[in-house]
Amino acid sequence: HLSGILSSQAERVPSTMMNADMDAVEAENQVELEEKTRLINQVLELQHTLEDLSARVDAVKEENLKLKSENQVLGQYIENLMSASSVFQTTDTKSKRK
C-alpha cells in the first residue's frame, strides 16, 4: 500500500511542475502582450502627435506666406508715399550751396 502512495505522489510531482511551468509561460506571455499593447498605444499616440505637429507646420507656413505678401504690399505702399512726398525727395546739396 505504501508503494502505491509513493508512486502516485511521484506521478503528481511532474504534473505539478508542468503546471507551474505552464503558469510561468502564461504569465510571461501576458507580460509580453501587455508590453506590446503599451508599445502599440505609444506608437499611435506619437502618430497623432506627429499629425498635429504637421498640421501646425502647414498652418504656420500658410500664415508666413500671407504675412510676407502683406509686407510686400505695405513696403510698396510706403515706397510710393515716400516718392510722392517732398520731405523724402533727394536733394542735391552741391547745387544748393553754390
Side-chain angles (χ1 to χ4, degrees):
H1 188 299
L2 183 60
S3 65
I5 294 172
L6 289 176
S7 72
S8 73
Q9 285 180 347
E11 289 173 4
R12 282 191 226 155
V13 169
S15 70
T16 304
M17 288 174 60
M18 283 192 348
N19 285 341
D21 288 342
M22 289 177 64
D23 288 345
V25 168
E26 285 181 30
E28 189 175 316
N29 287 342
Q30 183 65 28
V31 168
E32 284 181 20
L33 181 62
E34 288 172 1
E35 180 67 11
K36 285 180 183 178
T37 302
R38 185 187 69 76
L39 289 173
I40 288 170
N41 288 335
Q42 189 176 14
V43 166
L44 291 173
E45 184 179 332
L46 290 171
Q47 283 178 338
H48 293 305
T49 301
L50 180 60
E51 288 171 0
D52 292 343
L53 288 173
S54 181
R56 174 97 169 100
V57 166
D58 290 342
V60 168
K61 281 182 180 179
E62 189 176 317
E63 181 70 14
N64 186 27
L65 288 174
K66 180 181 160 194
L67 290 173
K68 279 184 179 181
S69 176
E70 288 177 5
N71 281 345
Q72 286 178 335
V73 169
L74 287 173
Q76 187 62 48
Y77 177 74
I78 290 169
E79 195 175 300
N80 290 342
L81 284 176
M82 288 173 58
S83 65
S85 172
S86 61
V87 173
F88 295 104
Q89 294 298 321
T90 59
T91 57
D92 189 0
T93 55
K94 291 182 180 178
S95 64
K96 286 188 176 182
R97 287 185 187 168
K98 289 184 181 179

